[in-house]
PDB file of all heavy atoms in Angstrom:
ATOM      1  N   ARG P  19      71.282 148.002  15.223  1.00 88.00           N
ATOM      2  CA  ARG P  19      71.738 148.146  13.837  1.00 88.00           C
ATOM      3  C   ARG P  19      71.741 149.593  13.382  1.00 88.00           C
ATOM      4  O   ARG P  19      72.486 149.967  12.491  1.00 88.00           O
ATOM      5  CB  ARG P  19      70.861 147.328  12.901  1.00 88.00           C
ATOM      6  CG  ARG P  19      71.088 145.861  13.035  1.00 88.00           C
ATOM      7  CD  ARG P  19      70.280 145.091  12.035  1.00 88.00           C
ATOM      8  NE  ARG P  19      70.297 143.685  12.390  1.00 88.00           N
ATOM      9  CZ  ARG P  19      69.389 142.822  12.063  1.00 88.00           C
ATOM     10  NH1 ARG P  19      68.344 143.199  11.359  1.00 88.00           N
ATOM     11  NH2 ARG P  19      69.477 141.566  12.434  1.00 88.00           N
ATOM     12  N   LEU P  20      70.905 150.397  13.997  1.00 91.00           N
ATOM     13  CA  LEU P  20      70.838 151.823  13.666  1.00 91.00           C
ATOM     14  C   LEU P  20      71.835 152.640  14.478  1.00 91.00           C
ATOM     15  O   LEU P  20      71.927 153.848  14.308  1.00 91.00           O
ATOM     16  CB  LEU P  20      69.425 152.354  13.928  1.00 91.00           C
ATOM     17  CG  LEU P  20      68.317 151.742  13.079  1.00 91.00           C
ATOM     18  CD1 LEU P  20      66.958 152.228  13.563  1.00 91.00           C
ATOM     19  CD2 LEU P  20      68.527 152.088  11.614  1.00 91.00           C
ATOM     20  N   GLY P  21      72.559 151.969  15.373  1.00 91.00           N
ATOM     21  CA  GLY P  21      73.524 152.677  16.208  1.00 91.00           C
ATOM     22  C   GLY P  21      72.893 153.412  17.374  1.00 91.00           C
ATOM     23  O   GLY P  21      73.540 154.245  17.996  1.00 91.00           O
ATOM     24  N   ARG P  22      71.679 153.077  17.692  1.00 94.00           N
ATOM     25  CA  ARG P  22      70.982 153.726  18.810  1.00 94.00           C
ATOM     26  C   ARG P  22      71.209 152.873  20.060  1.00 94.00           C
ATOM     27  O   ARG P  22      70.302 152.229  20.580  1.00 94.00           O
ATOM     28  CB  ARG P  22      69.506 153.884  18.475  1.00 94.00           C
ATOM     29  CG  ARG P  22      69.302 154.790  17.255  1.00 94.00           C
ATOM     30  CD  ARG P  22      67.877 155.008  16.906  1.00 94.00           C
ATOM     31  NE  ARG P  22      67.201 155.663  18.018  1.00 94.00           N
ATOM     32  CZ  ARG P  22      65.880 155.678  18.173  1.00 94.00           C
ATOM     33  NH1 ARG P  22      65.114 155.105  17.292  1.00 94.00           N
ATOM     34  NH2 ARG P  22      65.339 156.269  19.218  1.00 94.00           N
ATOM     35  N   TRP P  23      72.449 152.886  20.520  1.00 96.00           N
ATOM     36  CA  TRP P  23      72.892 151.965  21.569  1.00 96.00           C
ATOM     37  C   TRP P  23      72.210 152.179  22.899  1.00 96.00           C
ATOM     38  O   TRP P  23      71.901 151.221  23.597  1.00 96.00           O
ATOM     39  CB  TRP P  23      74.413 152.037  21.709  1.00 96.00           C
ATOM     40  CG  TRP P  23      75.083 151.635  20.443  1.00 96.00           C
ATOM     41  CD1 TRP P  23      75.740 152.445  19.559  1.00 96.00           C
ATOM     42  CD2 TRP P  23      75.119 150.327  19.880  1.00 96.00           C
ATOM     43  NE1 TRP P  23      76.178 151.706  18.480  1.00 96.00           N
ATOM     44  CE2 TRP P  23      75.817 150.401  18.661  1.00 96.00           C
ATOM     45  CE3 TRP P  23      74.625 149.087  20.292  1.00 96.00           C
ATOM     46  CZ2 TRP P  23      76.049 149.299  17.859  1.00 96.00           C
ATOM     47  CZ3 TRP P  23      74.856 147.988  19.490  1.00 96.00           C
ATOM     48  CH2 TRP P  23      75.556 148.095  18.294  1.00 96.00           C
ATOM     49  N   LYS P  24      71.984 153.423  23.268  1.00 96.00           N
ATOM     50  CA  LYS P  24      71.353 153.694  24.562  1.00 96.00           C
ATOM     51  C   LYS P  24      69.914 153.164  24.583  1.00 96.00           C
ATOM     52  O   LYS P  24      69.485 152.542  25.558  1.00 96.00           O
ATOM     53  CB  LYS P  24      71.383 155.192  24.865  1.00 96.00           C
ATOM     54  CG  LYS P  24      71.006 155.532  26.271  1.00 96.00           C
ATOM     55  CD  LYS P  24      71.280 156.986  26.578  1.00 96.00           C
ATOM     56  CE  LYS P  24      71.024 157.245  28.045  1.00 96.00           C
ATOM     57  NZ  LYS P  24      71.409 158.595  28.427  1.00 96.00           N
ATOM     58  N   VAL P  25      69.192 153.380  23.514  1.00 97.00           N
ATOM     59  CA  VAL P  25      67.813 152.898  23.420  1.00 97.00           C
ATOM     60  C   VAL P  25      67.807 151.373  23.329  1.00 97.00           C
ATOM     61  O   VAL P  25      66.962 150.707  23.930  1.00 97.00           O
ATOM     62  CB  VAL P  25      67.090 153.540  22.217  1.00 97.00           C
ATOM     63  CG1 VAL P  25      65.660 153.055  22.118  1.00 97.00           C
ATOM     64  CG2 VAL P  25      67.120 155.057  22.324  1.00 97.00           C
ATOM     65  N   ALA P  26      68.771 150.820  22.583  1.00 97.00           N
ATOM     66  CA  ALA P  26      68.873 149.358  22.466  1.00 97.00           C
ATOM     67  C   ALA P  26      69.148 148.738  23.835  1.00 97.00           C
ATOM     68  O   ALA P  26      68.532 147.731  24.195  1.00 97.00           O
ATOM     69  CB  ALA P  26      69.976 148.986  21.487  1.00 97.00           C
ATOM     70  N   GLU P  27      70.068 149.324  24.585  1.00 96.00           N
ATOM     71  CA  GLU P  27      70.392 148.793  25.918  1.00 96.00           C
ATOM     72  C   GLU P  27      69.163 148.795  26.813  1.00 96.00           C
ATOM     73  O   GLU P  27      68.897 147.838  27.528  1.00 96.00           O
ATOM     74  CB  GLU P  27      71.535 149.598  26.546  1.00 96.00           C
ATOM     75  CG  GLU P  27      72.143 148.954  27.772  1.00 96.00           C
ATOM     76  CD  GLU P  27      71.421 149.268  29.067  1.00 96.00           C
ATOM     77  OE1 GLU P  27      70.799 150.338  29.137  1.00 96.00           O
ATOM     78  OE2 GLU P  27      71.494 148.450  30.001  1.00 96.00           O
ATOM     79  N   ALA P  28      68.375 149.852  26.748  1.00 97.00           N
ATOM     80  CA  ALA P  28      67.146 149.926  27.542  1.00 97.00           C
ATOM     81  C   ALA P  28      66.146 148.854  27.100  1.00 97.00           C
ATOM     82  O   ALA P  28      65.460 148.253  27.938  1.00 97.00           O
ATOM     83  CB  ALA P  28      66.522 151.320  27.424  1.00 97.00           C
ATOM     84  N   ALA P  29      66.089 148.595  25.804  1.00 97.00           N
ATOM     85  CA  ALA P  29      65.181 147.562  25.298  1.00 97.00           C
ATOM     86  C   ALA P  29      65.615 146.177  25.769  1.00 97.00           C
ATOM     87  O   ALA P  29      64.780 145.344  26.125  1.00 97.00           O
ATOM     88  CB  ALA P  29      65.129 147.612  23.777  1.00 97.00           C
ATOM     89  N   TYR P  30      66.927 145.919  25.791  1.00 97.00           N
ATOM     90  CA  TYR P  30      67.416 144.628  26.282  1.00 97.00           C
ATOM     91  C   TYR P  30      67.092 144.466  27.768  1.00 97.00           C
ATOM     92  O   TYR P  30      66.695 143.385  28.206  1.00 97.00           O
ATOM     93  CB  TYR P  30      68.919 144.484  26.045  1.00 97.00           C
ATOM     94  CG  TYR P  30      69.298 144.477  24.581  1.00 97.00           C
ATOM     95  CD1 TYR P  30      70.349 145.252  24.115  1.00 97.00           C
ATOM     96  CD2 TYR P  30      68.603 143.701  23.656  1.00 97.00           C
ATOM     97  CE1 TYR P  30      70.700 145.250  22.776  1.00 97.00           C
ATOM     98  CE2 TYR P  30      68.945 143.704  22.311  1.00 97.00           C
ATOM     99  CZ  TYR P  30      70.000 144.474  21.877  1.00 97.00           C
ATOM    100  OH  TYR P  30      70.341 144.472  20.556  1.00 97.00           O
ATOM    101  N   ALA P  31      67.248 145.535  28.516  1.00 96.00           N
ATOM    102  CA  ALA P  31      66.921 145.471  29.944  1.00 96.00           C
ATOM    103  C   ALA P  31      65.431 145.187  30.140  1.00 96.00           C
ATOM    104  O   ALA P  31      65.047 144.422  31.035  1.00 96.00           O
ATOM    105  CB  ALA P  31      67.312 146.779  30.631  1.00 96.00           C
ATOM    106  N   LYS P  32      64.610 145.769  29.293  1.00 97.00           N
ATOM    107  CA  LYS P  32      63.169 145.542  29.383  1.00 97.00           C
ATOM    108  C   LYS P  32      62.805 144.112  28.972  1.00 97.00           C
ATOM    109  O   LYS P  32      61.881 143.512  29.530  1.00 97.00           O
ATOM    110  CB  LYS P  32      62.447 146.547  28.484  1.00 97.00           C
ATOM    111  CG  LYS P  32      60.959 146.539  28.636  1.00 97.00           C
ATOM    112  CD  LYS P  32      60.326 147.642  27.802  1.00 97.00           C
ATOM    113  CE  LYS P  32      58.823 147.633  27.938  1.00 97.00           C
ATOM    114  NZ  LYS P  32      58.179 148.678  27.136  1.00 97.00           N
ATOM    115  N   ALA P  33      63.547 143.550  28.016  1.00 96.00           N
ATOM    116  CA  ALA P  33      63.283 142.192  27.542  1.00 96.00           C
ATOM    117  C   ALA P  33      63.763 141.128  28.519  1.00 96.00           C
ATOM    118  O   ALA P  33      63.263 140.002  28.502  1.00 96.00           O
ATOM    119  CB  ALA P  33      63.955 141.972  26.191  1.00 96.00           C
ATOM    120  N   TYR P  34      64.701 141.472  29.368  1.00 96.00           N
ATOM    121  CA  TYR P  34      65.307 140.496  30.269  1.00 96.00           C
ATOM    122  C   TYR P  34      64.282 139.688  31.080  1.00 96.00           C
ATOM    123  O   TYR P  34      64.387 138.464  31.129  1.00 96.00           O
ATOM    124  CB  TYR P  34      66.312 141.180  31.197  1.00 96.00           C
ATOM    125  CG  TYR P  34      66.854 140.258  32.248  1.00 96.00           C
ATOM    126  CD1 TYR P  34      67.784 139.273  31.918  1.00 96.00           C
ATOM    127  CD2 TYR P  34      66.427 140.344  33.562  1.00 96.00           C
ATOM    128  CE1 TYR P  34      68.274 138.407  32.879  1.00 96.00           C
ATOM    129  CE2 TYR P  34      66.917 139.487  34.526  1.00 96.00           C
ATOM    130  CZ  TYR P  34      67.830 138.517  34.174  1.00 96.00           C
ATOM    131  OH  TYR P  34      68.309 137.656  35.125  1.00 96.00           O
ATOM    132  N   PRO P  35      63.271 140.305  31.705  1.00 96.00           N
ATOM    133  CA  PRO P  35      62.306 139.500  32.470  1.00 96.00           C
ATOM    134  C   PRO P  35      61.533 138.495  31.612  1.00 96.00           C
ATOM    135  O   PRO P  35      61.051 137.486  32.117  1.00 96.00           O
ATOM    136  CB  PRO P  35      61.352 140.535  33.071  1.00 96.00           C
ATOM    137  CG  PRO P  35      62.086 141.816  33.053  1.00 96.00           C
ATOM    138  CD  PRO P  35      63.002 141.736  31.864  1.00 96.00           C
ATOM    139  N   LEU P  36      61.434 138.763  30.315  1.00 96.00           N
ATOM    140  CA  LEU P  36      60.705 137.873  29.421  1.00 96.00           C
ATOM    141  C   LEU P  36      61.530 136.668  28.976  1.00 96.00           C
ATOM    142  O   LEU P  36      60.968 135.624  28.651  1.00 96.00           O
ATOM    143  CB  LEU P  36      60.240 138.651  28.185  1.00 96.00           C
ATOM    144  CG  LEU P  36      59.360 139.871  28.471  1.00 96.00           C
ATOM    145  CD1 LEU P  36      59.110 140.651  27.192  1.00 96.00           C
ATOM    146  CD2 LEU P  36      58.048 139.432  29.108  1.00 96.00           C
ATOM    147  N   ALA P  37      62.859 136.824  28.943  1.00 92.00           N
ATOM    148  CA  ALA P  37      63.723 135.737  28.457  1.00 92.00           C
ATOM    149  C   ALA P  37      65.067 135.748  29.187  1.00 92.00           C
ATOM    150  O   ALA P  37      66.113 135.913  28.570  1.00 92.00           O
ATOM    151  CB  ALA P  37      63.930 135.877  26.961  1.00 92.00           C
ATOM    152  N   PRO P  38      65.061 135.569  30.498  1.00 92.00           N
ATOM    153  CA  PRO P  38      66.306 135.693  31.265  1.00 92.00           C
ATOM    154  C   PRO P  38      67.352 134.621  30.966  1.00 92.00           C
ATOM    155  O   PRO P  38      68.531 134.835  31.210  1.00 92.00           O
ATOM    156  CB  PRO P  38      65.835 135.596  32.715  1.00 92.00           C
ATOM    157  CG  PRO P  38      64.559 134.829  32.641  1.00 92.00           C
ATOM    158  CD  PRO P  38      63.928 135.233  31.337  1.00 92.00           C
ATOM    159  N   LYS P  39      66.936 133.499  30.382  1.00 90.00           N
ATOM    160  CA  LYS P  39      67.876 132.409  30.118  1.00 90.00           C
ATOM    161  C   LYS P  39      68.289 132.315  28.652  1.00 90.00           C
ATOM    162  O   LYS P  39      68.915 131.349  28.246  1.00 90.00           O
ATOM    163  CB  LYS P  39      67.275 131.076  30.577  1.00 90.00           C
ATOM    164  CG  LYS P  39      67.074 131.035  32.071  1.00 90.00           C
ATOM    165  CD  LYS P  39      66.515 129.715  32.505  1.00 90.00           C
ATOM    166  CE  LYS P  39      66.307 129.729  34.023  1.00 90.00           C
ATOM    167  NZ  LYS P  39      65.750 128.465  34.489  1.00 90.00           N
ATOM    168  N   TRP P  40      67.946 133.316  27.858  1.00 88.00           N
ATOM    169  CA  TRP P  40      68.313 133.317  26.449  1.00 88.00           C
ATOM    170  C   TRP P  40      69.675 133.988  26.295  1.00 88.00           C
ATOM    171  O   TRP P  40      69.828 135.183  26.530  1.00 88.00           O
ATOM    172  CB  TRP P  40      67.255 134.033  25.630  1.00 88.00           C
ATOM    173  CG  TRP P  40      67.578 134.113  24.168  1.00 88.00           C
ATOM    174  CD1 TRP P  40      68.249 133.191  23.414  1.00 88.00           C
ATOM    175  CD2 TRP P  40      67.253 135.185  23.286  1.00 88.00           C
ATOM    176  NE1 TRP P  40      68.353 133.621  22.129  1.00 88.00           N
ATOM    177  CE2 TRP P  40      67.749 134.837  22.019  1.00 88.00           C
ATOM    178  CE3 TRP P  40      66.586 136.380  23.449  1.00 88.00           C
ATOM    179  CZ2 TRP P  40      67.602 135.663  20.919  1.00 88.00           C
ATOM    180  CZ3 TRP P  40      66.437 137.188  22.357  1.00 88.00           C
ATOM    181  CH2 TRP P  40      66.936 136.825  21.109  1.00 88.00           C
ATOM    182  N   GLY P  41      70.666 133.215  25.913  1.00 88.00           N
ATOM    183  CA  GLY P  41      72.024 133.727  25.772  1.00 88.00           C
ATOM    184  C   GLY P  41      72.148 134.838  24.751  1.00 88.00           C
ATOM    185  O   GLY P  41      72.935 135.764  24.924  1.00 88.00           O
ATOM    186  N   GLY P  42      71.365 134.755  23.674  1.00 89.00           N
ATOM    187  CA  GLY P  42      71.436 135.782  22.638  1.00 89.00           C
ATOM    188  C   GLY P  42      71.105 137.170  23.156  1.00 89.00           C
ATOM    189  O   GLY P  42      71.701 138.161  22.723  1.00 89.00           O
ATOM    190  N   LEU P  43      70.182 137.240  24.071  1.00 93.00           N
ATOM    191  CA  LEU P  43      69.840 138.524  24.684  1.00 93.00           C
ATOM    192  C   LEU P  43      71.060 139.097  25.397  1.00 93.00           C
ATOM    193  O   LEU P  43      71.391 140.270  25.245  1.00 93.00           O
ATOM    194  CB  LEU P  43      68.677 138.365  25.667  1.00 93.00           C
ATOM    195  CG  LEU P  43      68.360 139.576  26.542  1.00 93.00           C
ATOM    196  CD1 LEU P  43      67.900 140.760  25.705  1.00 93.00           C
ATOM    197  CD2 LEU P  43      67.315 139.215  27.573  1.00 93.00           C
ATOM    198  N   HIS P  44      71.745 138.250  26.140  1.00 93.00           N
ATOM    199  CA  HIS P  44      72.917 138.714  26.896  1.00 93.00           C
ATOM    200  C   HIS P  44      74.072 139.091  25.973  1.00 93.00           C
ATOM    201  O   HIS P  44      74.806 140.039  26.258  1.00 93.00           O
ATOM    202  CB  HIS P  44      73.333 137.651  27.906  1.00 93.00           C
ATOM    203  CG  HIS P  44      72.325 137.460  28.991  1.00 93.00           C
ATOM    204  ND1 HIS P  44      72.298 138.231  30.125  1.00 93.00           N
ATOM    205  CD2 HIS P  44      71.288 136.601  29.098  1.00 93.00           C
ATOM    206  CE1 HIS P  44      71.297 137.857  30.897  1.00 93.00           C
ATOM    207  NE2 HIS P  44      70.666 136.854  30.284  1.00 93.00           N
TER     208      HIS P  44
END
């Protein structure tokens, strides 16, 4: 929401192992 896309992308990659089957993450 802040437009910090690179940091957001890294956060999503970090969250992936915690919720790999959550469509919203993808």
Side-chain angles (χ1 to χ4, degrees):
R19 288 184 193 155
L20 297 173
R22 298 182 61 199
W23 299 108
K24 191 170 186 174
V25 180
E27 193 274 333
Y30 296 133
K32 188 175 179 181
Y34 174 74
L36 303 173
K39 295 181 181 179
W40 178 33
L43 171 64
H44 293 274

